[in-house]
Amino acid sequence: MDRPLTVTTIGELRDRLAEHRAAGRTVGFVPTMGYLHEGHASLMRAAREHDDVVVVSVFVNPLQFGEGEDLDTYPRDLERDARVAAAEGVDLLFVPPVEEMYPEPVLTTVSVAKVSEPMEGAARPGHFDGVATVVAKLFNIVGPCRAYFGAKDFQQLAVVRRMVRDLSFPVEVVGCPTVRELDGLAMSSRNAYLTPEQREAAPVIYRALRAGAAAIAAGERDPQAVRELVAGIIEAEPLAELDYVEVVDADSLATPETLQGNLRLLAAVRFGRARLIDNVGVTV
Ligand code: PAF
């Protein structure tokens, strides 16, 4: 069979997967918005390693973009995506048109309280409802599977995990490490927006987060002191405009009064029209 097989309808994807399941094969699913990079490729490789059939969806989900965000300009290159998927041995590429996913106005949405609320949820109202709704829909289309998500979108991973637990989806969510450029910048489709000067400046996010993690490892227990340290490093970069920096409990995403246990430092930073997010973990 020519791989990947591109499928554009929900019905055909379900039929193809039903055949594989009838033959006893497990399904690995990598949901994406396309413009695939090495980060996505690493998720496909993880799926390829653990599952018999690998499905990748490419769908720029309008529900998760707010007013004035980059829905219309979000980078798209389906031919290249198909080549990346082919190189990783993907079996099925699910590329539904918007009308296939949302043939009528959506009246039913999924909203995950608490974990959706801080950080990205506060900066991008409605974003995680859009993510949870499309991921729920994709899970219902793909069916029982292992689903692979990158830790770069740490809060998204937490939202999806919680949704799967609360709503008993027959899905095992697998979080995979962030893939970085050689200078530390987390890979993201939105890096395509960076000018050469912004691209050179952008690794400051990871440097700053690591400095925060190092301070915690060295004994700092005050979240405000860590936030100020990380913010200071980012704000010293003239091309960077800090949106937020937080240090939270890695499971609840709540800010502890004293830093202890499994922690995550997260930041969102604008470089011109690119809004980039990143995070690192540290355990006390
Ligand atoms: O991380 C993404 O690319 C998207 O948020 C996802 C999970 C594919 C849902 O549209």
Side-chain angles (χ1 to χ4, degrees):
M1 150 171 121
D2 263 357
R3 284 194 303 188
L5 181 71
T6 299
V7 171
T8 57
T9 67
I10 294 170
E12 184 181 354
L13 185 64
R14 282 195 170 132
D15 290 349
R16 301 262 172 200
L17 289 174
E19 283 169 23
H20 286 298
R21 286 202 183 87
R25 299 187 191 111
T26 65
V27 175
F29 175 42
V30 181
T32 82
M33 296 206 300
Y35 214 67
L36 304 176
H37 50 66
E38 183 51 31
H40 298 113
S42 75
L43 303 179
M44 296 174 207
R45 281 197 288 277
R48 186 72 285 161
E49 199 178 314
H50 293 103
D51 293 295
D52 303 322
V53 181
V54 178
V55 188
V56 173
S57 63
V58 172
F59 180 63
V60 182
N61 171 36
L63 288 193
Q64 70 190 75
F65 288 78
E67 197 115 319
E69 289 191 349
D70 56 347
L71 172 62
D72 294 336
T73 55
Y74 194 83
R76 293 159 166 91
D77 187 343
L78 198 50
E79 272 177 30
R80 202 182 58 130
D81 289 348
R83 285 200 299 275
V84 173
E88 299 305 334
V90 168
D91 300 289
L92 291 160
L93 198 57
F94 179 49
V95 191
V98 174
E99 316 80 70
E100 177 71 7
M101 290 292 276
Y102 305 125
E104 53 192 334
V106 174
L107 300 183
T108 308
T109 57
V110 180
S111 184
V112 182
K114 300 248 189 263
V115 276
S116 287
E117 286 159 16
M119 300 181 289
E120 287 305 281
R124 305 180 64 190
H127 169 67
F128 284 124
D129 291 0
V131 170
T133 302
V134 80
V135 172
K137 191 168 168 93
L138 289 166
F139 285 173
N140 278 330
I141 294 166
V142 171
C145 63
R146 268 193 208 93
Y148 298 81
F149 290 82
K152 204 251 322 165
D153 296 298
F154 189 79
Q155 194 176 4
Q156 168 172 281
L157 181 56
V159 167
V160 170
R161 280 193 200 284
R162 186 61 197 235
M163 178 188 80
V164 163
R165 288 211 305 276
D166 283 350
L167 299 184
S168 305
F169 279 95
V171 172
E172 184 188 327
V173 176
V174 183
C176 299
T178 302
V179 178
R180 298 182 181 281
E181 305 283 358
L182 286 177
D183 58 9
L185 178 65
M187 289 199 186
S188 163
S189 306
R190 289 191 169 99
N191 292 351
Y193 296 150
L194 296 168
T195 64
E197 296 74 27
Q198 291 163 347
R199 170 65 191 81
E200 209 172 300
V204 71
I205 310 174
Y206 185 49
R207 264 202 319 279
L209 290 170
R210 278 205 341 220
I216 297 170
E220 182 60 73
R221 295 292 172 265
D222 175 9
Q224 182 57 19
V226 175
R227 279 197 298 267
E228 281 170 15
L229 172 76
V230 176
I233 296 172
I234 293 171
E235 282 165 347
E237 167 49 60
L239 297 180
E241 193 191 322
L242 180 64
D243 195 339
Y244 64 76
V245 51
E246 290 295 342
V247 48
V248 300
D249 178 89
D251 296 318
S252 67
L253 302 193
T255 305
E257 271 176 29
T258 298
L259 297 176
Q260 58 185 353
N262 220 349
L263 302 165
R264 209 82 192 177
L265 288 91
L266 306 95
V269 183
R270 281 179 201 280
F271 289 86
R273 56 190 279 260
R275 182 176 178 283
L276 306 181
I277 57 172
D278 199 357
N279 66 86
V280 302
V282 58
T283 302
V284 173

